[in-house]
Amino acid sequence: MNLRPYWWDTIVPTAAGPVAGPSAPSAIPPATPPATPLERADVDVVVVGAGYTGLSAARRLARSGASVLVVDREDVGWGASSRNGGQVLTGLRLEAAELVARYGETRAKRLFAAANDAIVHLESLIADERIDCEYERRGHIQAAWKPSHFKAFAEERALLARVFGHRVELVERSGQRAEIGSDLYHGLLVDERSGGLNPARYVRGLAAAAARAGARLATGVAVQRMERQPTGWQVQTSAGIVASADVLIATNGYTGRSAPEVQRRFVPVGSYIVATERLAADQAAALLPTRRMAFDSKHFLYYFRVTSDQRLLFGGRAEFSAPGPDSIPRAAAILERGMTAVFPELAGVRIDYAWGGNVAFTRDQMPHAGRIGDAYFAGGYGGHGIALATELGDLIARRMGGDGSPHPLTELECPTIPFYHGNPWFLPFAGAYYKVMDWIS
């Protein structure tokens, strides 16, 4: 079993670097040569983090004429941007009813529309930059874990239609095998608007687009300290000191101590995935006949999909610890049991890959973009990061360039989390709470 993301082994050869293969080290192949010393470098913007947010912002900033340096202590897309399930989902982390209850119908409608507009922006960027990332709009299914959850789906469908003008369909349990080859669930909600892609190919393509626009990417460069100066910022890195007019912190679930005020707002939560060996074409087709993205209605949810080479990717919050050499095999065993509960016919199928990564959550479970002090930031996508990170990276870049156009996701205050300074000590308690909720709700 390979303890690295399956996606890394799908990256096609390019002039930018080698291909990840079965014997490749546990790092996504570098998109740029090793960074040269950065002493006395002077740029308009330093972007910290070479994932979707940072690269999207760098692309926009460079296209507007700014000199941009993107730094990352690992490689391009090494974090969640190449570790996620590749699901491009409509809406936000909060469901429609909770959005309305919290923000009222008018504001909730704007927030929901902004999230769906992010998918339009993603599709446009992929087309404009000709990024080969296997993007397809096949929709998603949400599977009801309990009969009561399916009843809630009916209420959600009505609310989505009435308030948001968004159409979804329900599939009774008796007919659900047309969408999912499992009898574990109690009916489905089907949303045709969602899509899926190969996240590692997408982030590499986005990096190439940023570089073509003129942004400089420096990988293997850790930010050690950032200090506000009278004329801008001084950014101390492992490769030297950089002076810049502005700083964008785009580290999301990997935010470190160099940005303590942002770190206090983003909680990293481990999410884990396993990938099976290649299945026979008819066996893979029977699991998800329409090849939609899929997830269920638990708090400790499962999410899954079939890849282009006929593997089942099966993920979830198997545990709340940070992914590592000990937690990944443990989480893989939990997910394998879950996978065979959903699809009993996969008992005995070999697991070829197991990996994990950090998803960032905020106190209000909403994504945020804006300024904290004099630094710009964006993040907190809660599992909806492919489209939202691309959109908010572009948005915050436009804000840095002086575009003050209103956007609902910049109007929300991003609250700090009480008694939290980077060590998420409370996650085991949250995990226990959600397990109880899955049992009783």
Side-chain angles (χ1 to χ4, degrees):
M1 185 169 63
N2 300 295
L3 302 185
R4 65 175 180 273
Y6 153 78
W7 302 116
W8 293 1
D9 287 358
T10 69
I11 298 173
V12 296
T14 69
V19 183
S23 61
S26 294
I28 191 169
T32 58
T36 55
L38 301 175
E39 287 88 347
R40 295 183 297 277
D42 193 349
V43 296
D44 292 324
V45 182
V46 169
V47 176
V48 185
Y52 302 142
T53 305
L55 295 170
S56 177
R59 171 182 175 268
R60 173 63 64 181
L61 287 163
R63 291 178 72 172
S64 69
S67 58
V68 184
L69 174 65
V70 183
V71 297
D72 197 296
R73 65 175 178 253
E74 300 289 349
D75 294 320
V76 164
W78 180 88
S81 294
S82 67
R83 297 171 183 268
N84 65 79
Q87 299 194 357
V88 181
L89 304 177
T90 57
L92 295 154
R93 168 69 181 174
L94 296 183
E95 293 184 353
E98 192 165 358
L99 281 174
V100 171
R102 184 183 295 184
Y103 299 110
E105 288 189 1
T106 300
R107 196 175 187 188
K109 185 176 180 179
R110 291 178 62 223
L111 289 165
F112 189 88
N116 288 354
D117 288 345
I119 298 178
V120 176
H121 174 244
L122 174 75
E123 293 172 338
S124 176
L125 188 153
I126 289 171
D128 291 346
E129 299 289 356
R130 300 182 180 179
I131 299 175
D132 178 12
C133 60
E134 302 177 342
Y135 179 76
E136 293 183 302
R137 188 195 296 183
R138 290 189 175 269
H140 80 249
I141 59 174
Q142 184 177 12
W145 182 247
K146 295 182 178 180
S148 60
H149 295 183
F150 186 71
K151 293 179 181 177
F153 286 173
E155 297 174 2
E156 182 177 4
R157 178 178 63 173
L159 181 63
L160 285 168
R162 181 178 65 82
V163 175
F164 303 97
H166 186 80
R167 179 180 175 180
V168 297
E169 300 296 338
L170 301 184
V171 178
E172 297 279 351
R173 187 181 192 185
S174 60
Q176 71 185 21
R177 277 194 167 263
E179 293 282 353
I180 181 172
S182 176
D183 297 318
L184 180 67
Y185 295 112
H186 297 269
L188 310 173
L189 181 148
V190 180
D191 189 329
E192 299 279 359
R193 185 63 188 82
S194 296
L197 51 65
N198 179 318
R201 288 190 181 184
Y202 172 58
V203 75
R204 285 291 295 271
L206 189 56
R212 283 195 300 271
R216 180 184 176 192
L217 278 60
T219 58
V221 175
V223 172
Q224 299 164 336
R225 189 173 182 180
M226 294 181 287
E227 292 184 352
R228 181 66 175 166
Q229 304 290 320
T231 57
W233 288 87
Q234 181 173 286
V235 181
Q236 182 176 333
T237 78
S238 58
I241 295 175
V242 184
S244 68
D246 282 310
V247 165
L248 169 60
I249 300 166
T251 44
N252 203 37
Y254 294 85
T255 304
R257 294 181 179 179
S258 63
E261 288 305 309
V262 176
Q263 186 184 49
R264 291 186 63 205
R265 290 163 167 83
F266 293 164
V267 178
V269 176
S271 189
Y272 297 85
I273 307 179
V274 295
T276 68
E277 62 182 310
R278 291 185 179 183
L279 305 174
D282 58 346
Q283 185 179 21
L287 301 178
L288 290 165
T290 54
R291 298 182 70 89
R292 301 193 198 278
M293 305 297 105
F295 58 94
D296 64 29
S297 58
K298 299 192 305 299
H299 293 284
F300 254 72
L301 58 78
Y302 297 139
Y303 55 93
F304 43 97
R305 63 176 296 188
V306 173
T307 66
S308 60
D309 63 349
Q310 313 300 335
R311 301 174 190 268
L312 180 71
L313 265 62
F314 193 92
R317 312 281 185 263
E319 57 175 66
F320 273 38
S321 61
D326 295 329
S327 64
I328 291 175
R330 195 166 56 234
I334 294 170
L335 290 175
E336 186 173 8
R337 290 195 295 271
M339 180 186 74
T340 54
V342 177
F343 301 111
E345 65 271 32
L346 296 184
V349 167
R350 188 179 69 243
I351 300 296
D352 275 356
Y353 295 87
W355 71 96
N358 290 340
V359 179
F361 285 84
T362 58
R363 184 177 173 184
D364 61 3
Q365 300 190 63
M366 292 290 286
H368 292 274
R371 295 179 73 172
I372 297 175
D374 291 319
Y376 290 88
F377 80 101
Y381 309 112
H384 285 248
I386 298 176
L388 282 170
T390 302
E391 168 71 11
L392 290 189
D394 189 271
L395 171 67
I396 204 67
R398 286 185 273 119
R399 287 294 170 88
M400 295 170 80
D403 183 350
S405 302
H407 191 282
L409 290 174
T410 63
E411 298 168 1
L412 303 175
E413 180 183 355
C414 188
T416 58
I417 299 163
F419 310 110
Y420 172 61
H421 297 276
N423 176 28
W425 55 268
F426 43 80
L427 286 182
F429 301 99
Y433 168 78
Y434 286 125
K435 284 181 178 178
V436 170
M437 291 299 293
D438 281 333
W439 180 58
I440 64 175
S441 65

